[in-house]
Structures are given as structure tokens and as C-alpha cells.
Amino acid sequence: MADPVSSVAYAIEAALRALNGDLALLVPTMVLVVAIIALVILNYRQLVARYPQGGGASAAVGEAFGDGWSFLPIGALVVDFVLTIAISVSAGASALIAYFPALAPWRLLLALGLVLVVGGLTWFGHLGRLVFAAMTVAFIAVSAMVLIYGLGATPHTVGTVTGTPSHQAVIAVVLAFPVAMALATGVEAPSSAIAQLGQLDNDGRSRFGKVTLWLTLGIVGTITLGLTMEAAHLQVGIPPEDSTQIAELARLAAPAPLFAAFQFVTALLLLSAASSSFQAGPGLLKALARRATPRGEIVGILPGGLGRTNVHHTPYWGVALFIVLAGVVTAAAGGNDQELVLFYAVSVFLSFLAGLASMALFSYRDRRSGYLLLNVTGAVVVAFTLVANLTRGLPVVSLAAAVLIAALLYLAWLKAGKPRGVRNAAAEAETEEPDEVKQ
């Protein structure tokens, strides 16, 4: 799953497009987006505390409603990973084109090439996650410099700016914010990633997960609102066809060397986000693949080949499958990241809704009225966001894909005799199991 920092690159522009270029409404829209992310994080702190060994929404749904329902958030995760790769490489291509406009005619080929390159580099294992962390830090640092330079920049209208949204102000904001909720992607990641912290006890993993969630909110909220307010101040609107809003902002606010650095780290951060999903997606399939346990039992529900790994513990057939799927989605969107943002938000919020509904049930059973109110409020807001995106038409494809994948996995689970433990697949995907996988 992508990190929310990388989503900043396209979420703000998506909101502005939904607002018909009205910069005056962009700031309240993104404030609402960050507030909703804060609400989701408040709920996920509870989830992390309940599952300190990882698992996220799939673990919660499995405990609340039965293992068979765990496949709904798992299906959403698979769609999420594919879309993360497709959007990240497309947005990375857009970042390169914004600096080298001559590449514009080759947008789709460039994006597809990046799918192959990032997927191929995944062969070398978890080094990609270290690069991802480094690129996130670099993006934060360079973004801070752009924001500082922007304080002294002279406003100059760039792109399309209007003062006429398609609806009244409040309605326009309410209809626009769901488009930018791709910014919330990655919120669930700490709830599964804490499974990697085998050196810590349950309390330690729980504390680490909660701190990570709050750091996510602080960093993403600050960068998002900072760039949003600066775009509104400098009058950076819907960008020209061969650029991005965040690139035009940096071009206007910062000197040429800093603009070049900003585009460079933005592109690398986006590709690192794709690399992270190339790790997580095949890892999830590996956790569900048939394999022999040390006691000789055969567990898992998917073909054993999806669990076979190379010397770097990379499940290569799973990587190949995600290369194909992400390539098809990228080609269908023409390498345009803005075409995919709505589809992305649907898959992310389907998983959120499943997790929050489960936590609401736990709070009700435990007679914790405060938590129940928090869970229900979060679930209602997430459900509204999900429905608002679905009403735009085509994003229903994401929902259908997630449900179809969940149904296929459920049928495979039935065929395998309903093996226990599927609810923990997301947590197991974060740990390496070098044992030989057997067909």
C-alpha cells in the first residue's frame, strides 16, 4: 500500500479539478480531507491496540464476522496494490514530463516502462522499502524548502483558475473532498507492518503503530495544507495538459535548481511507492499460497507457485502477475494518473469501512459507548465518501473488482476445506517465511 506522502502529488490536483478550478474552495476542501484522515486514524489506533501482531482490517473482519468475510478487505487490498502501482508510475511519468515536456508524446510507453523497471527491481527484495523511506524523507525536506521559498514568491496565475464552482460552495466542497481521499491511502499500513517488529513485544508494537499513525497525520497534514495554501496564494490552478499542479507550484515558487530537485524526488518517491506495493501485493498472495508447514501440514488456498521465492525472498510469480495487472490498468488509463484517482479511493475506503464496522461491533459487545460513537461516526463518514465516489460512475469498477477477487478467494477457501488463519494473511505478508513451498 502506498504511503500518504506520495499521494500528495496528485490528491490536491484531483480536488481542484473536482472544484472546477476554484482555488478559494481548495483550502477548505483539503482541510476537510485531513480532518477525515484524522478521524480514521483515531479509529485505527484502536485497531492497532487490539491487533499488536498485525493484520489490519482483515483480522478485525475475520474476528467480528467470521473468516470468510476477511476476503472482502483482502480483495480491496489487492485492488489497492494494483492501483497504487498504476497511479504511482503514471504520476511519476507526469513528474518527468513536467520537467521534460518533450517526453509528453511518450507518456504511456514511459509509464509502462516504469512498471517493468520497478517490478524488475523488486526481484532484489526489501531494499526497495529502504529506498522508499529515504525518498519520503527527501520529499519532505525539499517540499519544506519549496514552501519557504514560496512565502516570498509573487503570485502569478498559472493554469485554469475560476471562481465559479459547479455547485454552491458547501455542496461543491462536499462533492469534491471524496476525490482527494486517495490521500488517506497508507493509513492502514502500520496496522499490518507492525508484524515485522518481531524484536518488540505486543505493547511495544502497539505503541510503535500508534506513534506511526500520529506521525503520518502530522507530516501529511502539514505538507498537504502547506502546499494547498501556497497554491491558493500563488494562484496555481488546474495545470496545462503536460504538467501537474504541484510541479507548476514548485516552478513558480522555487529557483530552477530546487525545482529540478523537487521533480526528481517527487518522481522517485512515487516510484518507491510503486515498489512498496510490488512488495506487499505479491507478499499477500504468498501468504495465501499453499505451502507445507514444519509439521508437514499443507495450508493455504492459492496455487503454490505464488509462494515460490528467489534468494531474496521475492515471490517472483506474484510479482509477474502484478506487473501484468498494473500494466493493463496503466494502459487503460493512458498513463494518466488523474484518470485513476477515483478508482483508488474506492478500494481504500472499502477496506476502511470493513475495519470500522468490525471495530464498532467490538465496542458494542464490550459496552464501550465512547469508542462505539467514534467507530460509528468514522464508519458513516467513510461510507459517505465511498458512496460519493461510486456515484461518479466508473469507479464502481474498483468495487466490482474487489468483490470479485474476494468471491474467488472465498471459493478457493471453501475448496481447501476452510483452513483457519486466513484473517491473518495481511500480517503474514509482512513477514518472511523461507520454508520451501510445495504444490
Side-chain angles (χ1 to χ4, degrees), residues 68 100 135 196 208 245:
F100 300 108
M135 287 303 100
Q196 299 180 37
F208 185 90
Q245 186 193 27

Side-chain angles (χ1 to χ4, degrees), residues 215-228:
L215 284 176
T216 297
L217 176 62
I219 293 171
V220 173
T222 300
I223 292 178
T224 298
L225 296 181
L227 291 174
T228 299

Side-chain angles (χ1 to χ4, degrees), residues 105-132:
W106 308 99
R107 175 185 296 274
L108 178 55
L109 288 179
L110 178 59
L112 291 175
L114 291 174
V115 171
L116 290 173
V117 170
V118 177
L121 290 175
T122 306
W123 182 271
F124 298 101
H126 292 285
L127 178 62
R129 294 191 174 182
L130 296 177
V131 175
F132 187 31

Side-chain angles (χ1 to χ4, degrees), residues 39-424:
L39 178 61
V40 174
I41 283 176
L42 279 172
N43 280 276
Y44 265 72
R45 286 182 70 255
Q46 183 186 355
L47 191 147
V48 167
R50 190 178 185 96
Y51 302 102
Q53 295 180 335
S58 61
V61 172
E63 181 182 348
F65 304 107
D67 280 352
W69 286 99
S70 294
F71 295 115
L72 186 60
I74 289 175
L77 279 178
V78 172
V79 174
D80 180 17
F81 293 141
V82 172
L83 287 174
T84 294
I85 297 167
I87 293 179
S88 296
V89 297
S90 297
S94 295
L96 293 174
I97 291 170
Y99 194 78
F100 300 108
L103 294 175
W106 308 99
R107 175 185 296 274
L108 178 55
L109 288 179
L110 178 59
L112 291 175
L114 291 174
V115 171
L116 290 173
V117 170
V118 177
L121 290 175
T122 306
W123 182 271
F124 298 101
H126 292 285
L127 178 62
R129 294 191 174 182
L130 296 177
V131 175
F132 187 31
M135 287 303 100
T136 299
V137 173
F139 179 80
I140 293 170
V142 176
S143 295
M145 295 177 66
V146 169
L147 289 172
I148 292 171
Y149 270 99
L151 294 175
T154 302
H156 177 73
T157 301
V158 178
T160 302
V161 177
T162 71
T164 55
S166 54
H167 300 84
Q168 290 183 332
V170 174
I171 296 176
V173 170
V174 170
L175 293 178
F177 87 82
V179 178
M181 288 313 305
L183 193 66
T185 185
V187 168
E188 187 172 344
S191 65
S192 295
I194 53 176
Q196 299 180 37
L197 305 175
Q199 70 275 23
L200 299 179
D201 59 15
N202 286 344
D203 289 340
R205 282 194 291 267
S206 178
R207 285 193 297 271
F208 185 90
K210 292 177 182 177
V211 170
T212 301
L213 286 170
W214 285 124
L215 284 176
T216 297
L217 176 62
I219 293 171
V220 173
T222 300
I223 292 178
T224 298
L225 296 181
L227 291 174
T228 299
M229 289 187 286
E230 193 154 284
H233 170 66
L234 297 178
Q235 292 295 291
V236 180
I238 299 174
E241 182 179 354
D242 296 332
S243 188
T244 66
Q245 186 193 27
I246 199 170
E248 293 304 312
L249 170 62
R251 195 195 309 271
L252 178 61
L258 181 57
F259 169 61
F262 183 79
Q263 290 305 101
F264 180 71
V265 297
T266 298
L268 286 183
L269 174 62
L270 289 162
L271 297 183
S272 297
S275 175
S276 180
S277 285
F278 264 125
Q279 298 279 353
L284 180 59
L285 299 184
K286 174 190 170 188
L288 291 169
R290 286 195 296 272
R291 62 192 182 276
T293 68
R295 292 181 297 179
E297 297 178 279
I298 301 298
V299 298
I301 62 174
L302 294 180
L306 291 172
R308 295 191 182 280
T309 61
N310 62 12
V311 295
H312 301 288
H313 305 300
T314 299
Y316 45 85
W317 285 116
V319 171
L321 177 60
F322 271 83
I323 287 176
V324 172
L325 294 175
V328 169
V329 172
T330 302
N336 188 336
D337 55 285
Q338 289 298 321
E339 294 289 333
L340 294 170
V341 171
L342 280 177
F343 295 84
Y344 195 18
V346 167
S347 61
V348 170
F349 273 71
L350 177 60
S351 182
F352 284 162
L353 182 58
L356 295 183
S358 302
M359 297 310 298
L361 180 59
F362 297 146
S363 296
Y364 174 76
R365 289 175 178 173
D366 297 339
R367 301 183 183 278
R368 307 179 73 175
S369 56
Y371 279 115
L372 178 59
L373 177 61
L374 177 65
N375 300 150
V376 171
T377 301
V380 169
V381 172
V382 166
F384 174 83
T385 305
L386 179 60
V387 171
N389 280 325
L390 289 175
T391 58
R392 295 177 181 271
L394 285 178
V396 74
V397 173
S398 286
L399 179 63
V403 171
L404 176 61
I405 292 170
L408 293 175
L409 291 174
Y410 179 76
L411 292 175
W413 179 64
L414 291 180
K415 185 177 179 180
K418 296 184 178 181
R420 300 179 62 184
V422 293
R423 69 178 68 168
N424 297 317

